[in-house]
Amino acid sequence: MASLQDIGMSAAINILSAIAFLVAFAILRLQPINDRVYFPKWYLKGIRGSPTHSQAFVRQLVNLDCKTYITFLNWMPAALKMPEPELIEHAGLDSTAFIRIYLLGLKIFMPITVLALVVLLPVNWTGKSLETMQNVTFSDIDKLSISNVPYGSDRFWAHLVMAYVFTFWTFYVLYNEYKIMANMRLHFLASEHRRPDQFTVLVRNVPPDTDESVSEHVEHFFCVNHPDTYITHQIVYNANNLASIVEKKKSLQNWLTYYENKYERFPSKKPTTKTGFFGLWGTKVDAIDYYAIERAKLSQEEEAERKKVISDPNTIVPAAFVSFKSRWGAAVCAQTQQSRNPTIWLTEWAPEPCDVYWANLAIPYFELTIRRLLMAVALFFLTFFFMIPITFVQSLANIEGIERVFPFLKKLIEKPTVRSLIQGFLPGIALKIFLILLPSILMLMSKIEGFTSLSSLEKRSAGKYHLFVLVNVFLGSIITGTALQQLKLFLQQAPTEFPKTVGVSIPMKATFFITYIMVDGWAGIAAEILRLVPLIIFHLKNTFLVKTEKDREQAMDPGCLSFAISEPRIQLYFLLGFVYCVVTPILLPFIIVFFAFAYMVFRHQIINVYNQKYESGATFWPDVHRRLIIGMIISQLLLTGLLSTKQADSSTPLLIVLPILTIWFHIFCKGRFESAFMKFPLEDAMVKDTLERATEPNLNMKAYLQNAYVHPVFKGGDLDGHLIIDDLENNPLVPTKRNSNRSSNFGSGRSSDVEL
């Protein structure tokens, strides 16, 4: 169990690591050769020019201006200067809303920290209960926790009162933040520039028809049921195989460029490669000729596959992107039921074109329920069976575990410095390393479930990751860690002492979470701003693949905020704050440092580095709010269980009210604000449409929307520029090939020529 000395050692290591990362970043960002790594967003916006142009060779590589090194930390105040409206315009609402989560943490926990340290810390410290108990392992940190309060003491009334104060303060902050975010979203939707997704709806599960193709059927249905607003549509092709060929072709082109650049630098020797796996074995051939031939073969294969996709009716998916003349028309369609059969003609707001995950549009709709059921079962087993290796890893990340597995290291481990290093640093870093691959696994599971946009994939993956963090990282660390450390004591004690020992042991796990916060939340955030991996990759690409300025721009990797990874990670810190604000208040300052430091770092990153792949208008905020509520309820239930073991009979029953109040608060906020993130008000849509018609009376909306949702592999190809339907304004009839009776089928769009 980590002592104050161990915590101090961990703090020293992580603070020094964070300072080292920050100093390295501050120096590296000043070098002209690294400018595209640390300021890629400004290059992509066309605002920043390369500082390596028109300078001496040395100045193209190294910054020789000594004055800039004196103010090398000026990025910190600069990150906080940009006003929020300008930040939304510059980086988007998604990015701005994301960093407001860190600001929300500061709003909640700074007052709570002050109150907890002033009121609860003296109450816990002067309890002196642990010193009188036998057969319980504890450290100086535990003396500052609720474990140090005697059983049945009236001191627990202080914890009860503070639990209510902290809860109502959190309600106040969460309500105001939800209100602010709802207003920000509505203002953003009302003021953002025209985008294709504002006028477009994704239609799924188009019913088959023997008389008409999918395209004709879609056109016919919407001409009949939305005659005044429908304008055009784009059918969806299953082009997954074609997209795979295009990706392989890009990879071959990169290798060809690499060897051509290599030959230009060393013309005396032509580069060679082997035809086997990754060039490790096989026949040795001329590398340039080999990749040129392979690329030509793939070009022929690509052309054949492209023609097949366009001509084969079986490649057409029963789905379409349907566009309307106005936002009002799209909102009506997206937010209403289209058919008396609720399983067909399913509509939802289309994601913006860059947000579409094209591979999943080809999944038959009836498969989605089965896929999601299978992934739910898989997530259950992954979550609970993953606890076994986590338990094993954490059992090795302590003194006893290492001595048991590596007995020859016992003398080294017993040295005070090494012991402090292991107990104060190793558990946190072991857990962080062990979780590296998990987000990729969860994202793959979300893709299998069939979600059709990158934003929905990230939200779904975030939900899975949050569940995993909750069960394995939080509950798993408390339960398994406690059992491993106290098992012998449990077996030696009388059954009546068991609840007491459990009540004492739960807050004792705070020392582990303190070390984890310093590893992940201090050093980890500092490593994020250094961007070491993108720095190395950029210079490798710049050396071997870049020929033109366009190539150099493509070599930049600005990255983006990963909601699927970062948001559940933040939720863990909220959960730890909620749980330990009453139990072990000394943990709160570590969380405050994390929120403040992360807010500054990520604000800098979204201003200068990150380039978001899509803009959802902060639709993830209801998920953030719901998970915060879950964290509050868990903390309240744990506190109730803990006090019940401390014989606080008069105060414990009053804690049962808190989860009920929290659930009521969530229902109230959901009814008050959630619709702003799910729907687009028709009133706002009409206002925006009217204003646009007044300012741009000659706007050709059909030309603007015609090719917005063409699959990326067809951009510039046969489908790009291909008109799907005739001009409806000059055609008073809805053409159809169907011979069915008009009167009996009109309600479902099944009619012959229907006069509009």
Side-chain angles (χ1 to χ4, degrees):
M1 180 174 295
S3 64
L4 279 176
Q5 181 182 355
D6 302 333
I7 297 296
M9 173 66 75
S10 178
I13 293 173
N14 287 287
I15 290 173
L16 290 176
S17 299
I19 292 174
F21 290 144
L22 292 176
V23 171
F25 159 73
I27 294 174
L28 288 173
R29 67 186 285 269
L30 295 176
Q31 312 311 314
I33 197 173
N34 298 327
D35 204 56
R36 290 179 180 269
V37 177
Y38 295 109
F39 301 96
K41 189 158 194 168
W42 299 102
Y43 282 91
L44 294 175
K45 285 179 172 287
I47 298 175
R48 194 178 183 95
S50 177
T52 61
H53 290 166
S54 66
Q55 291 188 18
F57 177 74
V58 176
R59 290 185 176 272
Q60 292 181 10
L61 303 177
V62 181
N63 185 351
L64 300 179
D65 186 359
C66 297
K67 295 180 180 178
T68 58
Y69 291 95
I70 298 175
T71 59
F72 71 98
L73 292 178
N74 62 355
W75 67 269
M76 293 183 178
L80 305 175
K81 282 183 179 179
M82 184 178 286
E84 192 167 72
E86 186 179 343
L87 187 64
I88 295 174
E89 179 69 24
H90 175 72
L93 184 59
D94 279 346
S95 298
T96 306
F98 180 84
I99 63 171
R100 281 191 71 93
I101 302 176
Y102 296 105
L103 192 59
L104 176 63
L106 292 174
K107 290 179 180 179
I108 291 175
F109 289 115
M110 286 186 72
I112 288 177
T113 300
V114 173
L115 273 177
L117 295 181
V118 171
V119 177
L120 295 181
L121 207 62
V123 172
N124 295 338
W125 176 258
T126 57
K128 300 186 181 299
S129 173
L130 290 175
E131 298 174 359
T132 62
M133 297 182 67
Q134 298 179 352
N135 296 329
V136 171
T137 303
F138 64 91
S139 67
D140 292 335
I141 295 291
D142 299 315
K143 294 180 182 179
L144 302 174
S145 74
I146 198 173
S147 299
N148 203 30
V149 179
Y151 288 91
S153 173
D154 289 338
R155 292 169 180 261
F156 289 120
W157 283 102
H159 299 86
L160 175 68
V161 172
M162 286 297 102
Y164 270 88
V165 171
F166 297 163
T167 297
F168 284 112
W169 169 252
T170 305
F171 285 171
Y172 173 76
V173 176
L174 288 181
Y175 177 84
N176 284 336
E177 194 67 20
Y178 214 155
K179 182 178 179 180
I180 291 171
M181 286 307 309
N183 290 332
M184 286 176 63
R185 172 175 165 80
L186 292 176
H187 182 266
F188 176 78
L189 294 177
S191 60
E192 71 174 334
H193 301 298
R194 180 172 58 248
R195 298 193 323 191
D197 56 296
Q198 298 169 357
F199 303 87
T200 305
V201 170
L202 173 60
V203 183
R204 305 288 300 275
N205 210 25
V206 176
D209 190 280
T210 56
D211 297 321
E212 294 180 327
S213 66
V214 173
S215 179
E216 293 166 340
H217 197 19
V218 169
E219 174 194 347
H220 186 208
F221 180 86
F222 284 95
C223 283
V224 170
N225 295 286
H226 297 269
D228 298 325
T229 55
Y230 168 72
I231 187 171
T232 186
H233 72 274
Q234 174 61 59
I235 57 175
V236 177
Y237 292 88
N238 183 355
N240 292 346
N241 189 40
L242 177 59
S244 177
I245 294 173
V246 171
E247 286 300 314
K248 291 180 181 177
K249 183 179 174 182
K250 289 180 180 178
S251 177
L252 291 177
Q253 180 61 50
N254 286 338
W255 281 110
L256 179 60
T257 302
Y258 165 71
Y259 283 113
E260 286 176 344
N261 289 348
K262 186 176 180 180
Y263 184 57
E264 288 179 3
R265 291 187 178 92
F266 308 101
S268 60
K269 182 180 179 181
K270 295 204 71 175
T272 60
T273 187
K274 294 181 179 180
T275 57
F277 180 74
F278 279 104
L280 299 177
W281 57 72
T283 307
K284 184 178 289 189
V285 295
D286 184 290
I288 296 177
D289 293 341
Y290 172 74
Y291 282 106
I293 293 172
E294 291 297 314
R295 184 183 179 282
K297 290 180 181 178
L298 269 186
S299 295
Q300 296 176 357
E301 187 178 344
E302 176 190 356
E303 186 61 29
E305 181 66 22
R306 191 183 299 273
K307 292 179 180 178
K308 176 185 175 183
V309 170
I310 296 173
S311 60
D312 187 358
N314 294 325
T315 61
I316 298 177
V317 177
F321 290 99
V322 179
S323 298
F324 296 83
K325 299 175 183 177
S326 64
R327 298 172 182 84
W328 185 91
V332 169
C333 181
Q335 297 166 184
T336 56
Q337 182 174 312
Q338 303 303 307
S339 171
R340 65 181 63 180
N341 183 350
T343 64
I344 61 174
W345 297 107
L346 304 177
T347 57
E348 60 185 88
W349 279 107
E352 60 177 322
C354 60
D355 188 21
V356 178
Y357 187 69
W358 295 94
N360 280 357
L361 286 173
I363 299 175
Y365 189 81
F366 69 87
E367 285 187 12
L368 297 181
T369 302
I370 300 174
R371 284 169 172 259
R372 290 169 189 178
L373 176 61
L374 293 176
M375 288 302 101
V377 174
L379 179 63
F380 173 82
F381 286 105
L382 176 66
T383 301
F384 287 96
F385 282 98
F386 217 73
M387 191 178 294
I388 297 173
I390 284 182
T391 303
F392 176 73
V393 169
Q394 290 201 25
S395 68
L396 294 181
N398 57 58
I399 299 297
E400 294 77 12
I402 295 176
E403 289 181 347
R404 183 175 62 254
V405 179
F406 305 105
F408 57 89
L409 296 177
K410 185 173 182 179
K411 291 184 178 180
L412 177 64
I413 292 173
E414 292 300 329
K415 293 183 178 180
T417 304
V418 177
R419 188 181 185 90
S420 297
L421 175 63
I422 293 174
Q423 291 193 322
F425 183 73
L426 190 57
I429 196 68
L431 180 60
K432 184 171 176 61
I433 292 174
F434 201 73
L435 296 176
I436 287 177
L437 295 178
L438 181 64
S440 299
I441 298 173
L442 298 179
M443 178 58 76
L444 177 61
M445 294 173 66
S446 298
K447 290 179 179 178
I448 294 174
E449 287 181 312
F451 292 94
T452 56
S453 66
L454 298 176
S455 55
S456 59
L457 284 172
E458 291 218 326
K459 286 193 289 185
R460 187 70 174 181
S461 296
K464 294 183 178 70
Y465 198 12
H466 177 253
L467 174 63
F468 190 92
V469 167
L470 182 63
V471 174
N472 284 283
V473 178
F474 180 69
L475 295 178
S477 296
I478 289 178
I479 297 171
T480 59
T482 298
L484 289 172
Q485 292 176 6
Q486 305 288 345
L487 180 59
K488 291 184 179 180
L489 299 180
F490 290 159
L491 295 176
Q492 295 171 0
Q493 288 179 341
T496 55
E497 295 294 312
F498 182 80
K500 297 181 182 179
T501 307
V502 172
V504 171
S505 299
I506 289 177
M508 285 182 180
K509 203 59 185 178
T511 55
F512 164 76
F513 287 117
I514 289 175
T515 62
Y516 181 78
I517 290 169
M518 289 188 289
V519 171
D520 182 71
W522 296 6
I525 295 298
E528 174 71 25
I529 201 171
L530 182 58
R531 308 197 77 224
L532 187 59
V533 174
L535 176 68
I536 295 172
I537 292 176
F538 171 77
H539 286 301
L540 288 175
K541 288 183 177 180
N542 193 39
T543 302
F544 298 111
L545 298 179
V546 170
K547 284 186 175 181
T548 64
E549 282 299 315
K550 185 177 180 181
D551 294 335
R552 186 168 286 107
E553 181 175 317
Q554 293 176 348
M556 291 190 303
D557 179 20
C560 61
L561 286 169
S562 179
F563 180 79
I565 300 173
S566 300
E567 194 270 343
R569 174 184 173 188
I570 303 172
Q571 290 290 346
L572 175 61
Y573 291 93
F574 277 104
L575 177 61
L576 294 177
F578 291 145
V579 169
Y580 285 102
C581 62
V582 176
V583 175
T584 310
I586 195 63
L587 181 140
L588 292 177
F590 296 90
I591 293 179
I592 292 293
V593 172
F594 161 75
F595 280 122
F597 186 38
Y599 175 74
M600 180 178 62
V601 166
F602 281 104
R603 211 175 196 275
H604 171 273
Q605 295 296 83
I606 69 170
I607 291 174
N608 298 297
V609 182
Y610 296 147
N611 187 46
Q612 289 303 105
K613 297 177 182 178
Y614 59 83
E615 176 58 62
S616 70
T619 54
F620 56 79
W621 195 262
D623 296 329
V624 174
H625 181 86
R626 184 180 66 255
R627 289 173 193 139
L628 289 172
I629 294 296
I630 291 173
M632 291 182 66
I633 293 173
I634 290 174
S635 68
Q636 292 157 1
L637 294 176
L638 288 178
L639 181 61
T640 303
L642 177 58
L643 289 184
S644 67
T645 67
K646 304 288 284 184
Q647 300 177 4
D649 299 331
S650 57
S651 58
T652 301
L654 297 176
L655 287 173
I656 300 175
V657 179
L658 285 181
I660 298 174
L661 285 176
T662 304
I663 293 172
W664 172 84
F665 173 75
H666 173 61
I667 295 172
F668 172 76
C669 288
K670 183 177 181 179
R672 176 69 177 83
F673 300 117
E674 189 173 276
S675 61
F677 297 86
M678 302 292 111
K679 298 176 181 179
F680 187 27
L682 294 181
E683 180 184 18
D684 291 352
M686 181 60 75
V687 169
K688 198 167 179 62
D689 288 333
T690 303
L691 181 62
E692 188 172 72
R693 284 193 294 268
T695 55
E696 300 180 74
N698 298 322
L699 176 65
N700 188 341
M701 186 60 68
K702 186 173 182 179
Y704 173 71
L705 296 171
Q706 187 69 62
N707 301 309
Y709 285 92
V710 173
H711 196 294
V713 297
F714 292 118
K715 290 292 184 181
D718 295 334
L719 288 184
D720 201 4
H722 175 62
L723 296 181
I724 303 298
I725 61 173
D726 296 327
D727 192 355
L728 295 176
E729 285 81 354
N730 300 322
N731 189 359
L733 300 178
V734 179
T736 178
K737 297 179 180 179
R738 188 177 289 110
N739 297 316
S740 56
N741 183 273
R742 168 179 173 174
S743 60
S744 62
N745 296 314
F746 181 83
S748 60
R750 297 174 175 272
S751 62
S752 293
D753 294 345
V754 179
E755 189 167 353
L756 299 179

